């Protein structure tokens, strides 16, 4: 599950601009999800408009961002059949270290895809 080339060209700039401001919050939320035993696979769906996957964590208007950041985890993606039960093992194998990378699920019009962005070094 490598980053899609369309992410690099069309989306990476705006995602990276926002990510600078939200990375610490997302990293803390990821840690909390894992520490509390909800899931080892936190996922942050991002979209420019409201969408139903996960719970809103950071609204775009809160920090003058381009994207809204929700939080959820692998189980919801399986329940909603975004990831089929047959693909769960493949997803887990490709999931990057959540202490080092943020798993975003980019939703924009007809485009949806996972992207892993490294957290800034302290």
């Amino acid at each position: 599950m490598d980053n899609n080339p369309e992410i690099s060209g069309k989306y990476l700039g705006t995602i990276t601009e926002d990510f600078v401001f939200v990375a610490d919050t997302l990293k803390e939320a990821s840690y909390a999800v894992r520490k509390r035993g909800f899931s080892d696979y936190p996922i942050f769906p991002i979209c420019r408009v409201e969408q139903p996957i996960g719970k809103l964590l950071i609204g775009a208007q809160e920090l003058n961002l381009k994207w809204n950041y929700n939080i959820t985890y692998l189980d919801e993606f399986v329940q909603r059949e975004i990831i089929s039960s047959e693909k769960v093992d493949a997803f887990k194998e490709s999931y990057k270290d959540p202490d080092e990378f943020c798993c975003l699920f980019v939703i924009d019009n007809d485009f949806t895809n996972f992207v892993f962005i490294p957290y800034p070094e302290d």
Side-chain angles (χ1 to χ4, degrees):
M1 188 179 301
D2 295 324
N3 288 339
N4 183 308
E6 191 168 350
I7 289 283
S8 298
K10 188 172 182 182
Y11 297 103
L12 200 56
T14 62
I15 291 170
T16 304
E17 286 174 24
D18 275 8
F19 197 71
V20 170
F21 298 105
V22 299
D24 289 342
T25 301
L26 299 182
K27 190 172 187 177
E28 289 173 19
S30 172
Y31 176 79
V33 163
R34 292 178 286 125
K35 179 76 171 171
R36 293 181 182 156
F38 292 121
S39 178
D40 290 333
Y41 304 94
I43 301 170
F44 297 93
I46 67 170
C47 190
R48 295 176 193 266
V49 297
E50 288 185 35
Q51 55 79 31
I53 303 170
K55 301 280 186 213
L56 183 64
L57 182 65
I58 304 168
Q61 69 285 356
E62 291 177 44
L63 298 175
N64 197 27
L65 304 171
K66 292 179 175 67
W67 300 89
N68 293 299
Y69 291 79
N70 286 19
I71 184 169
T72 189
Y73 30 88
L74 177 58
D75 291 347
E76 182 176 357
F77 275 70
V78 174
Q79 290 169 2
R80 290 180 175 270
E81 298 179 349
I82 297 168
I83 297 175
S84 69
S85 55
E86 296 84 30
K87 302 277 185 179
V88 169
D89 288 338
F91 178 84
K92 288 179 177 180
E93 287 177 24
S94 63
Y95 192 89
K96 296 184 184 286
D97 181 346
D99 287 322
E100 295 181 23
F101 290 87
C102 183
C103 178
L104 301 177
F105 184 66
V106 180
I107 305 166
D108 191 45
N109 297 321
D110 294 332
F111 180 83
T112 57
N113 210 333
F114 290 95
V115 61
F116 294 89
I117 296 194
Y119 290 112
E121 304 258 342
D122 292 334

